[in-house]
Amino acid sequence: MSDQLTFLFNIEYCTGCMACVVACQDQNDLKADSVNFRTVESFEKGPFPARVGCFSIACMHCGDAPCLMACPTGALSRHEENGVVDINRDLCIGCKSCALACPFGAPKFTRDGKMAKCDLCYVRVAHGLQPACVHTCTTGALQYGSLEELSKIKSRDAAMRILKASGLSENE
């Protein structure tokens, strides 16, 4: 595998607008009353008066995806070129083992009795486009890329927060 692709979510930027959910539904032809591959949850943070925060979650295409091992038919597989975890619905028997194993609840049981999940907009990415949810995120809360690249971004951001909290600037 060359570059493991994944999502990066910055909770500080998410407004809970649900654009990522709608873009995912549109891209995957999901009806509003069916399953969603991406969800946005809100939560309260801090003491009264609490602020509301939002969290957008979908399949993280884990490097060590527990859903892969849980599937008894081999319906789940990883694309060698980019690490995307995908479901072959022809092999799926709808046993829900993958959903039970996934810490993010990514695989969803659909009306046709099979599982479905985010495929990181595999076709879009293969054509040089961003996943629909990332493309639509107006605040930049969602990004995607290689795990190595996104890890560097997170490390840099964490270092900047530490410097800011300590009163030091990046120029000192």
Side-chain angles (χ1 to χ4, degrees):
M1 178 173 48
S2 58
D3 284 329
Q4 168 72 44
L5 294 179
T6 191
F7 288 110
L8 176 65
F9 175 73
N10 187 331
I11 199 166
E12 295 175 23
Y13 295 155
C14 185
T15 63
C17 71
M18 306 289 284
C20 57
V21 174
V22 173
C24 179
Q25 288 173 326
D26 183 52
Q27 177 66 33
N28 293 288
D29 294 324
L30 301 172
K31 293 178 176 32
D33 64 343
S34 69
V35 299
N36 288 324
F37 297 159
R38 177 166 289 284
T39 58
V40 174
E41 301 294 331
S42 61
F43 60 93
E44 292 182 8
K45 57 185 177 181
F48 182 81
R51 292 182 25 218
V52 174
C54 298
F55 189 80
S56 178
I57 189 75
C59 178
M60 298 303 288
H61 303 278
C62 305
D64 186 19
C67 60
L68 289 172
M69 295 305 235
C71 181
T73 66
L76 282 141
S77 63
R78 180 184 305 284
H79 291 274
E80 279 301 314
E81 66 275 11
N82 58 20
V84 171
V85 177
D86 203 3
I87 293 179
N88 179 336
R89 291 176 48 82
D90 291 333
L91 296 177
C92 180
I93 59 173
C95 68
K96 302 180 188 174
S97 294
C98 57
L100 292 171
C102 176
F104 303 104
K108 307 293 185 188
F109 189 71
T110 61
R111 291 180 179 164
D112 66 358
K114 299 191 179 207
M115 304 305 289
K117 62 178 274 312
C118 166
D119 66 359
L120 206 124
C121 290
Y122 184 78
V123 173
R124 288 179 59 90
V125 170
H127 286 92
L129 301 171
Q130 297 177 328
C133 58
V134 174
H135 176 74
T136 306
C137 182
T138 59
T139 63
L142 275 175
Q143 297 176 46
Y144 96 103
S146 73
L147 184 59
E148 183 178 336
E149 173 188 317
L150 297 178
S151 293
K152 288 178 185 175
I153 291 170
K154 288 301 283 183
S155 294
R156 184 195 69 225
D157 290 350
M160 294 307 297
R161 281 194 302 275
I162 290 168
L163 286 173
K164 184 177 179 182
S166 69
L168 300 174
S169 73
E170 60 186 341
N171 297 328
E172 293 180 340

